[in-house]
Structure formats: C-alpha cells, structure tokens
Amino acid sequence: MDVKRYLAGRSGSRRIEQLALLALLLGAGACASETPPAPAAAPSGPRLFFVEPQNGTTVKSPVRLKFGVENFTIMPVPQGTVETSRPEMGHHHVGVDTDCLPAGTVIEKAAPWVHFGDGKDEIDMQLTPGPHKLALQIGDDQHRTIEGLCSTLSITVSE
C-alpha cells in the first residue's frame, strides 16, 4: 500500500489518527519480529529436598518430615539379598545431627540414620528440644549414597 497517497486524501485530524495507528502497527510488528529470550534451562539432573519443614523454622515434636525428589525414582528395596542396585532408583535416609556422607558410602543401619527402605517419603519424628541439623540422603538398593542426592536443613524444636 502507498501510505503517502492514502493519507493525502484524508483530513488533518483523521490523518494524525491514522499515522498514530500506523506507527502502533509498525511498532507491534517490530516487537513481534524480535527473537524472544530463550527459556531458562530446567535442571537435567536429579534433585532431592525437604518439602517440610522449611529451613530455619521452629517446630514442635514430633516433627513432620516430608521429602521430595525430582528426576529420580524412589522405590522400596527389593526383598531378599540384593546383589546389584537398580540404576536411577533408590530410597530415602534421614540423618539427625549429621552431615551428608560422601558419594558411594554405605549408610549404616544405625543412629544417626533412619532408613526408608519401604519407599516412604514422610515421617513424624520425635526430636529433643533445641537446634538440629537434618541430612536427607538417597541410597541405592545396597544403601550406598548417590552423588548429588543429599540435602540438609536446620530447625529448632521448641520445648
């Protein structure tokens, strides 16, 4: 379309309105042709976290602990003797007043660790009053820790 010829036959105020509309349409077209920013890449690896309680909160005992995991499968440990672990599968362990264990370490079936070999992802845990550090760690079918699958939080249990 020849814009000059089209606008030449219009009155002054009508011409201004149409110029404004044309500018708006051209501006919208320019915006539409811009390349939108790339979406943020989603984490591709597995992630382990406490759903509750939140880090730094004060809670009452028994403390409701809920665990979450992304990009990893939580399953009960198979019955009988386990000779090999299933890839990309494991179960939760919670350590009370301890840190994460190095990758490949067998998580002992004793304090300070609580095992969830049944595949559960929550517990109401009795804790003494005062500050506590909790470590949530995934172990494979042989209870060996897995690289990057540990999360910690600190809470205070009220009297």
Side-chain angles (χ1 to χ4, degrees):
M1 168 190 252
D2 185 354
V3 175
K4 281 185 178 180
R5 201 175 291 160
Y6 176 77
L7 292 175
R10 304 290 175 210
S11 68
S13 63
R14 184 81 173 135
R15 187 180 300 163
I16 292 171
E17 289 173 4
Q18 290 183 343
L19 279 173
L21 178 60
L22 181 62
L24 181 65
L25 290 173
L26 289 174
C31 290
S33 67
E34 292 178 11
T35 304
S44 59
R47 183 174 82 94
L48 178 66
F49 52 94
F50 283 92
V51 174
E52 63 180 73
Q54 296 296 309
N55 189 41
T57 59
T58 299
V59 295
K60 292 185 179 187
S61 194
V63 180
R64 167 61 55 130
L65 302 179
K66 282 186 164 186
F67 323 129
V69 67
E70 294 175 350
N71 301 319
F72 194 83
T73 303
I74 300 298
M75 295 291 292
V77 177
Q79 297 293 318
T81 303
V82 178
E83 307 240 350
T84 59
S85 293
R86 299 168 291 176
E88 310 289 324
M89 291 185 189
H91 59 282
H92 298 291
H93 300 80
V94 173
V96 179
D97 298 324
T98 191
D99 290 313
C100 295
L101 298 172
T105 303
V106 173
I107 302 170
E108 297 297 322
K109 292 184 180 180
W113 293 96
V114 177
H115 288 251
F116 295 83
D118 56 5
K120 290 185 180 175
D121 62 359
E122 63 182 64
I123 187 173
D124 290 328
M125 183 178 279
Q126 293 288 340
L127 291 172
T128 58
H132 292 280
K133 180 179 184 179
L134 302 176
L136 174 61
Q137 194 149 18
I138 290 193
D140 63 17
D141 291 331
Q142 296 176 311
H143 305 281
R144 287 185 311 244
T145 59
I146 299 170
E147 180 73 36
L149 288 177
C150 189
S151 178
T152 62
L153 68 79
S154 296
I155 58 171
T156 301
V157 177
S158 62
E159 297 275 340

